[in-house]
Structures are given as C-alpha cells and as structure tokens.
Amino acid sequence: MKNVIGVINLGKPHSMLDDLTRNRSIASVPFGGRYRLIDFTLSNMANTGISKVAVFTLNKSRSLMDHLGSGKEWQLDRKIGGLFVLPPAIEFPTQEYKGDLQNFHGHIDYFNRSKEEYVIVCRSHMICNVNYAEALQFHIDSEADITMLYNRVDPDTVDLSNCYQVEVDEHQRVRGMSSDFDTGNVYMETFIINKSLLVELIEQCAENEQYDLTESLLIQNINNVSVHAFQHQGHLSIINCTTSYYNQSMRLLDPEVWKGLFFQPGLVYTKIKDEPPTKYIETADVRNSLIANGCIVQGQVENSILFRGVKVAKGAVIRNSIIMQECEIGADAVVENMILDKEVCIKRGQSLIGNATEPVVINKRSTI
C-alpha cells in the first residue's frame, strides 16, 4: 500500500462525550482497558501496510500527541513517510474556525507534495477492525472517484444519532446520503479518493467558502462524480455519546465481540507501558471482567473494565462499571453503573450507584 496516504480527520468539534472529552480529543479517549480510540484506526492502517499517515488535529491534543509519540507502535517511525501530526491551520482565537475542510485547505501542500495516488480519510469514533486493501481494490476495479465504507446495522438496536446513512443501488453506487435516512447502511466516516480529485474538490469548496467535509465535499458531489459504497462485514462500534461509549465498552465482555474487534483480521496496537501483572489478593472475587495489568484487587469486581494500575481495596464492590487508569476504590466502597475517569479516588465506605441506561461520569482526579 505504498501508493496510499492515510488521513485521520479530527477536525470536527466533538463534545458528544461530554465530560470524557472536556480536556481531551475524542481520539484519545481510553477504551477497552488499555487502548485509545485512535489505536483502532491507526492499527487498521498499519495492518494494511500504509506507511504514511497524517493526523489532522483541532484542539485538546496534548494527551493525543503524548500517546502517538513517534508512531513506532504502528510502524510509522520512518525516515520516509511515517506519522505527521498536523495542527489546526488557523490562528486561535483571532481567526474563526469554519469546519474541517478549512484544515484540509490550510494543509493543501501536504497533499500536493505527496507522490501517492490515493487517500484514505477516516475518523476515530467508528471502531472496527478492517483491512483497507480489499476496499481499495474495489475502488480501483469499479473505477470509482470516491468509495465510501459502510456497515449494515439494525437501527432498532444501535443509537444512530449523529450518523449519516447511505442509500445504495444494486451496482453499489451511492444514490443518497443523509443523517435523516433510515436505511441501516451506516457511513463509517471513511472514504477512499484519488488524491488529485481530493485536492480539486478541496480547492473548489474553499472558493465557495464551504468547509464541512461530509456535507460539502461528499454529499454535494454524489451526483457530480462516481461515488461507490463498499460494505464492511465485521464488527462496528459507534461511539457518539456517553451512553454509547458505555454500552460499546460493556460489549467487550462478550468474548466473540472481543475477538472480532481485537484479532480479526489484524491485531490492535497501542502505546507500550511496562507494568507488572495484576495482583489478586486472596479476598479478591472477579467475574466476567477485563482487568488490565498493574492493578491490585482485594475486593469484588463484576461485569466491569479496569484500566492499568487500578487499586480495589478489601470489601469494595465494583459492578457494571468502567474504572480508568490509576483509580483507587477504598475499603467497603460500592461503585455500580459508573464511569470513573483517570486517577479518581473513592474513599472508604462511599457508595456511588448510577443508572445503567445513563451511566454517570466522575471527572478526572476527583476525590469522593
């Protein structure tokens, strides 16, 4: 895949996760015990053999840049190509931010100077495990100008708010796309496009002062260029609100979902941190849970996800909850249906019981 540039577009303000994105980009939201959401998109690109990836950022990028580093975990620490983290192409706060295409236009030289013929543009809140090689071959064989990736889902079982859905004909041509459609064909915020056409459309949109990538570049051109759709058949987790984040995290407790997301067709990579194995004291009682390394468990943990370095004291009970890195749960405390951000301390005997349909988030470094 030396003829492809990978682009991860983080240029849309994304506050749908409320407290979890108060101080971080959605791309760096922790997920699955030790990962960040961006790990899945980066791993997909690495497993496909894409060796040149640009991350278009907007704001709140400190933790994201710390996580990405040189990109070596995704084989992107290279002399030629590799990882490019591109800052917003505007001056805050004097210049108004008009949309993600403004960011693309501000970095148009990145595309002009690249020799690759194709570009794969993705975001980070649609979690899947996909090898883009098959989609690219479909794009080439069908002689499409743009190929959108979509996944077939049951609208009655998945919250599709803030999602675009596509209308596809029998020849896999996209005939329509809207957030108001109810086709069940969810656009995965990923598309393949010839680089020269991408540059042409970016310039065209900028001239017309249209700066929304999806609305201006894709939807407005469905009838102007050849737009095809490629169906991804694997698992898809849509993270579009705090409740969906909680629900999609809890689905990882199903071994089949876990295997489908983390092992098929490729592995998922993340920043390496050396920690000892989790230590289970003889009073520990752990059932149906994901426990990352570096934890010390003396209490009861059930149907929950514990990130690295969590300490659960004797007599504490954790049920149906997500406990992020370095949290401490005091003796005889109860935590149920909660999301605890990093480094939260729950003191001895405290009881925090949320609603399973609307889990409560405790902010980072809180003490209760």
Side-chain angles (χ1 to χ4, degrees):
M1 297 286 277
K2 296 186 181 299
N3 206 20
V4 178
I5 305 169
V7 170
I8 301 177
N9 175 27
L10 307 180
K12 284 191 174 182
H14 213 309
S15 58
M16 289 185 289
L17 297 193
D18 300 322
D19 289 336
L20 292 176
T21 50
R22 185 184 303 276
N23 297 307
R24 61 165 73 94
S25 160
I26 189 170
S28 60
V29 170
F31 187 77
R34 64 170 62 194
Y35 301 89
R36 305 289 181 125
L37 293 184
I38 197 172
D39 290 338
F40 296 87
T41 306
L42 278 172
S43 298
N44 289 338
M45 291 182 176
N47 291 330
T48 304
I50 297 173
S51 58
K52 185 175 182 179
V53 175
V55 181
F56 283 61
T57 63
L58 180 57
N59 52 22
K60 305 176 185 176
S61 300
R62 185 195 58 77
S63 63
L64 175 67
M65 295 179 71
D66 174 65
H67 181 73
L68 295 177
S70 64
K72 66 179 181 179
E73 283 81 5
W74 304 274
Q75 299 90 50
L76 293 172
D77 53 335
R78 298 168 178 265
K79 291 182 178 178
I80 300 176
L83 180 66
F84 295 79
V85 180
L86 302 177
I90 65 169
E91 296 181 4
F92 288 112
T94 56
Q95 192 174 2
E96 180 187 2
Y97 186 71
K98 300 176 181 177
D100 48 358
L101 263 184
Q102 188 181 18
N103 222 3
F104 278 60
H105 187 249
H107 291 295
I108 198 74
D109 281 350
Y110 174 78
F111 297 107
N112 284 329
R113 292 176 180 176
S114 299
K115 298 178 180 177
E116 289 78 4
E117 184 176 358
Y118 302 102
V119 182
I120 296 180
V121 181
C122 309
R123 293 184 69 193
S124 63
H125 67 291
M126 295 272 188
I127 300 175
C128 60
N129 193 328
V130 57
N131 188 307
Y132 297 120
E134 188 179 356
L136 177 63
Q137 193 59 53
F138 171 85
H139 176 79
I140 295 170
D141 292 344
S142 61
E143 300 182 345
D145 294 314
I146 299 173
T147 296
M148 298 179 180
L149 273 66
Y150 74 99
N151 193 292
R152 182 79 183 155
V153 303
D154 182 354
D156 295 329
T157 60
V158 180
D159 179 8
L160 297 180
S161 56
N162 302 309
C163 293
Y164 288 95
Q165 297 184 52
V166 292
E167 188 177 54
V168 183
D169 69 11
E170 66 274 20
H171 303 294
Q172 290 302 105
R173 286 285 300 268
V174 176
R175 295 304 181 187
M177 177 176 172
S178 172
S179 57
D180 297 325
F181 281 0
D182 193 21
T183 63
N185 298 326
V186 176
Y187 168 53
M188 295 168 58
E189 304 271 359
T190 299
F191 66 93
I192 301 171
I193 187 171
N194 296 44
K195 189 196 69 176
S196 57
L197 177 61
L198 176 64
V199 171
E200 178 184 332
L201 294 179
I202 291 172
E203 296 284 11
Q204 189 179 94
C205 290
E207 286 181 7
N208 296 323
E209 296 193 351
Q210 298 172 325
Y211 293 108
D212 188 286
L213 179 69
T214 304
E215 296 282 346
S216 307
L217 194 144
L218 295 179
I219 294 179
Q220 288 190 21
N221 285 295
I222 284 178
N223 296 321
N224 299 329
V225 298
S226 174
V227 182
H228 283 64
F230 177 84
Q231 184 177 2
H232 167 58
Q233 304 280 356
H235 177 81
L236 174 68
S237 290
I238 302 171
I239 311 293
N240 53 8
C241 63
T242 302
T243 300
S244 67
Y245 170 80
Y246 175 82
N247 290 336
Q248 295 301 329
S249 296
M250 288 297 123
R251 290 189 68 191
L252 298 178
L253 300 179
D254 180 340
E256 293 303 315
V257 173
W258 173 266
K259 292 176 184 176
L261 188 56
F262 285 90
F263 297 98
Q264 301 167 357
L267 299 178
V268 179
Y269 309 100
T270 188
K271 180 181 180 181
I272 295 173
K273 291 184 178 179
D274 295 323
E275 301 233 26
T278 285
K279 186 175 183 179
Y280 298 94
I281 310 301
E282 59 182 10
T283 55
D285 182 7
V286 179
R287 303 180 185 185
N288 192 38
S289 297
L290 291 176
I291 312 290
N293 50 340
C295 297
I296 300 177
V297 181
Q298 301 182 69
Q300 179 182 342
V301 182
E302 183 177 352
N303 299 328
S304 297
I305 298 173
L306 271 56
F307 284 68
R308 292 165 165 145
V310 172
K311 296 177 181 176
V312 183
K314 184 178 180 180
V317 177
I318 300 173
R319 292 194 189 94
N320 310 322
S321 296
I322 299 169
I323 314 296
M324 294 190 186
Q325 190 172 333
E326 306 292 343
C327 286
E328 295 187 16
I329 313 299
D332 302 319
V334 176
V335 177
E336 186 169 338
N337 300 325
M338 305 290 292
I339 301 173
L340 272 54
D341 207 334
K342 295 172 63 175
E343 301 174 26
V344 169
C345 178
I346 307 298
K347 292 185 176 180
R348 173 190 288 267
Q350 291 287 343
S351 180
L352 301 179
I353 300 178
N355 187 327
T357 57
E358 295 184 12
V360 176
V361 177
I362 303 299
N363 290 332
K364 186 177 178 180
R365 298 196 181 98
S366 298
T367 298
I368 296 177

